[in-house]
Amino acid sequence: QVHLVESGGGLVQAGGSLRLSCVASGLTFSAYTMGWFRQAPGKEREFVGRISRSGGSTEYGDSVKGRFTVSRDNAKNTVYLQILSLKPEDTAVYYCAASMVLKTSWTYDFKYWGQGTQVTVSS
């Protein structure tokens, strides 16, 4: 069974930083594009960023460019999301997901999802 487990969320003050981790098991990790999404209360799930199978390319949603960085370590079956200069509007549940579709930002194309980790940014 495929499992994606996020960690690293928490309560931080505006301007702070977090690094989220997502450890995958039950799949050939290097065969998947890995993505990060977030969902705030009352809002649609939003694309945050993705990283290609070998880590050679990344793409980010417009709202997070310049502050968020996706990276991966295929030897550890782990994808990371580094968040800098957190803002209250970043408050959301953050999910990692795995897809075999190239260059996609659509939730529908991600087959496997983690349970999410809560990021709360106070002002």
Side-chain angles (χ1 to χ4, degrees):
Q1 188 172 140
V2 173
H3 292 280
L4 277 62
V5 181
E6 302 97 334
S7 63
L11 175 64
V12 298
Q13 291 187 336
S17 301
L18 284 173
R19 189 173 82 152
L20 310 183
S21 299
C22 173
V23 179
S25 60
L27 79 172
T28 302
F29 183 72
S30 61
Y32 288 84
T33 296
M34 297 300 298
W36 286 94
F37 296 80
R38 66 185 183 184
Q39 189 164 23
K43 295 186 177 181
E44 294 183 355
R45 190 162 296 187
E46 177 187 25
F47 170 72
V48 173
R50 67 169 186 261
I51 187 165
S52 61
R53 291 168 293 176
S54 297
S57 64
T58 55
E59 184 64 46
Y60 300 95
D62 290 341
S63 65
V64 304
K65 286 182 178 178
R67 298 190 298 116
F68 287 36
T69 302
V70 181
S71 60
R72 69 191 294 165
D73 186 342
N74 286 349
K76 297 181 178 180
N77 283 10
T78 302
V79 61
Y80 305 94
L81 180 66
Q82 179 73 50
I83 314 175
L84 304 178
S85 301
L86 279 156
K87 303 175 180 180
E89 52 263 44
D90 295 322
T91 296
V93 177
Y94 284 72
Y95 300 90
C96 72
S99 176
M100 298 200 76
V101 179
L102 301 179
K103 299 191 295 183
T104 182
S105 302
W106 301 106
T107 60
Y108 181 84
D109 290 328
F110 287 81
K111 184 175 182 179
Y112 302 112
W113 293 80
Q115 83 290 344
T117 185
Q118 177 72 48
V119 172
T120 303
V121 184
S122 64
S123 59

